[in-house]
Amino acid sequence: MATRAPAATGRLLLGFRKWYYNACGFNKLGLMRDDTLHEDDDVKEALRRLPENVYNDRMFRIKRALDLSMKQQVLPADLWTKYEEDKYYLEPYLKEVIRERKEVEEWAKK
Amino acid sequence: MKGIRPLNHLSRRCYVAARRSSLTEPLSVNPRNAPSKPVFQPQDIQVSKLPSGLLIASLENYSPVSKIGVFVKAGSRYETPDNVGLTHVLRLAANLTTKGASAFRICRGVEAVGGSLCVTSSREHMVYSAECLRDNLDTVSEFLFHVIAGPEFRPWEVSDLTTRVKIDKAMASQCPQIGVVEKLHEAAYKNALSNSLYCPDYRVGNVSSDQLLSFVENNYTSGRMAVVGLGVKHSVLKQMGEQYLSIGRGAGVPGAKAVYRGGELRMQSSDGLVHALVASEAAVTGSADANAFTVLQRVLGAGPHVKRGANISSKLSQGIAKATTEPFDATAFSSTYSDSGLFGIYTVSQFDAAGEVIRAALAQVTAVADGGLSAEDLDRAKNQMKAESLMSLEASEGLLEEVGAQLLASGAYSSPEAVLQSIDSITSSDVVNAAKKFVSGKKTMASSGHLVNTPFVDEL
């Protein structure tokens, strides 16, 4: 692993990631990665903290995807979410929620 | 059994037997071995000003508890018309996450050392005070300075404050006095001082985190702050001030000058007791007139001096007792701000006697204005004022508040002796002039209760 040049690893890894992203298939329904996260307590709290416009966009995408899956259809190819355009919008909020939860747990241990 | 008893007393008798010398002479203790008692000299308040404009005052009172108060010129008068009610939310937002510590950590950290962190706000100042045992000062003061210098006001935490705002307002509405005083200020001024300490209904839930951040940025600057420490070394406080509170090197946004207009606000309700407050513009904090008005307040009567007593010495009570037999209460009201002041009388009466009570109270003030002030009344009032001001300095909260308010108002602290002298220098003509000013000034009135018999301000 260390013998390969870093640039080559970067391109190889990127290629693999793009292939994997397209193979997952949720982008064909117009979804982003953070729309597909399983809603456990941390994710629920992070969703509560989203700004309103981001939350509304998420709801729209989920509704559109549900509608498409009911009709057993997929979006036209030009509307698929591209790997480069996918924003992990929930990640900062989720990280903060998890950090806060860990802080509480740390404190409770003492 | 007689034989057993001596065994019980054996230990005591052995101890007693060991005492050879009687205790009428002091026990001889070798002076070299005796621990030397530290000598505590009473200290004065030290005041200094940092280059950033921050004022620092500290008093070493040898108390096991240290108390730090940070006074900021960010009271409700500095709210602009589009962010009314912001200081109420800001007051409640002191425990929210800051750049240095999360809300949870602030709360648990302060609790863990048994300290306390609280916020009070008035029309002119916002006061953050922290109290803890002397050894834990670093921890608690760190949280205090984080709260002041680095709040983040995360949007979801700010919207979680909405219930607390509602609870605060509900509790304030239970107390008619608060409502009447707020309405008086609203009626008396056109801007600045007319802003209420409580968030108006239409703004509850609408105060956004951006507005809070911009208010803090504009108003929490070193030039508008004073830090007061009791039980803290001056050098330590100075170092903390330089390290944490060098924010916004400017003088900040100057507030608008309060313009007195004199109006009337009536809150009709089904309450059988009418609370009415009639006031007129008075003196500015720190001016010579302010003392005259406070002495006038004591002459007229500012609360009973004997618990559950009949308030005999109050002129207002005497005058009103002649006008009505129904239960009532009347006190003189006086408040001073940095560019204006209010003086008046606050009466509580049964709704059908409200008119007589208010007119009798005003007649008493007119009597003083016409020169009806005996030397004995003046002396009594001056003594009461001196006693009250000294007594308030006995407690650490009173002292902290006094030092902080003086620092922000005038930039220096005048000792209690100077205050007593200025009270002594009030003459009877000063007080009479103050009463004349009230009688001739444009009146403002605020009243609440069943107002059927309460006169309007132009009928007084």
Side-chain angles (χ1 to χ4, degrees), chain A residues 48-49 96 100 103 107, chain B residues 102 105 108 154 156 160:
Chain A
R48 192 182 75 92
R49 297 180 180 195
E96 185 61 29
E100 284 177 11
E103 192 183 18
W107 198 275
Chain B
S102 73
R105 195 168 139 231
R108 293 302 176 98
R154 295 184 172 175
W156 55 91
D160 286 345

Side-chain angles (χ1 to χ4, degrees), chain B residues 412-431:
Chain B
Y413 173 69
S414 47
S415 66
E417 288 83 25
V419 172
L420 291 183
Q421 269 182 343
S422 64
I423 297 177
D424 267 329
S425 63
I426 305 281
T427 61
S428 150
S429 60
D430 290 332
V431 177

Side-chain angles (χ1 to χ4, degrees), chain B residues 37 52 111 118 162 194 209 259 269 276 291 309 311 331-332 338 353 364 367-368 410 420 427 455 457:
Chain B
K37 278 183 76 170
S52 57
E111 275 178 14
C118 72
T162 312
S194 69
S209 136
V259 179
S269 72
N291 279 336
N311 213 356
T331 58
S338 57
Q364 284 294 311
V368 174
S410 58
L420 291 183
T427 61
V457 72

Side-chain angles (χ1 to χ4, degrees), chain A residues 14 26 104:
Chain A
L14 190 62
F26 59 76
V104 177

Side-chain angles (χ1 to χ4, degrees), chain B residues 302-367:
Chain B
H305 288 275
V306 177
K307 270 190 201 159
R308 291 175 273 281
N311 213 356
I312 303 287
S313 63
S314 148
K315 268 187 185 290
L316 285 176
S317 298
Q318 288 166 359
I320 299 175
K322 294 186 194 126
T324 175
T325 49
E326 296 192 33
F328 67 89
D329 189 17
T331 58
F333 168 85
S334 157
S335 68
T336 54
Y337 303 104
S338 57
D339 57 1
S340 179
L342 287 173
F343 178 86
I345 34 169
Y346 186 105
T347 55
V348 183
S349 48
Q350 303 290 320
F351 73 92
D352 46 357
E356 287 95 53
V357 170
I358 298 176
R359 291 203 172 88
L362 287 173
Q364 284 294 311
V365 189
T366 323

Side-chain angles (χ1 to χ4, degrees), chain A:
Chain A
M1 285 273 243
T3 52
R4 271 184 243 152
T9 313
R11 274 206 302 270
L12 216 59
L13 203 52
L14 190 62
F16 175 74
R17 289 174 69 142
K18 274 187 166 170
W19 171 83
Y20 185 78
Y21 185 82
N22 288 319
C24 278
F26 59 76
N27 64 336
K28 298 192 180 96
L29 292 172
L31 290 169
M32 293 182 154
R33 185 205 72 167
D34 281 344
D35 298 339
T36 60
L37 284 174
H38 173 61
E39 273 195 32
D40 64 0
D41 290 328
D42 289 334
V43 173
K44 281 205 181 90
E45 175 63 25
L47 286 175
R48 192 182 75 92
R49 297 180 180 195
L50 278 180
E52 205 179 322
N53 52 338
V54 180
Y55 185 76
N56 290 342
D57 287 339
R58 172 197 162 95
M59 279 296 113
F60 167 74
R61 285 192 300 270
I62 291 180
K63 275 197 188 153
R64 183 178 60 180
L66 287 171
D67 175 72
L68 287 170
S69 88
M70 170 197 54
K71 293 185 281 198
Q72 303 274 14
Q73 279 175 5
V74 193
L75 283 177
D78 53 336
L79 288 176
W80 293 358
T81 319
K82 304 208 184 10
Y83 175 79
E84 297 81 14
E85 289 169 0
D86 191 338
K87 258 181 67 271
Y88 298 161
Y89 58 84
L90 198 60
E91 198 174 316
Y93 298 97
L94 192 55
K95 277 209 168 76
E96 185 61 29
V97 169
I98 293 178
R99 189 194 69 82
E100 284 177 11
R101 178 171 56 87
K102 285 206 171 2
E103 192 183 18
V104 177
E105 283 167 10
E106 272 298 315
W107 198 275
K109 272 195 235 159
K110 277 204 259 176

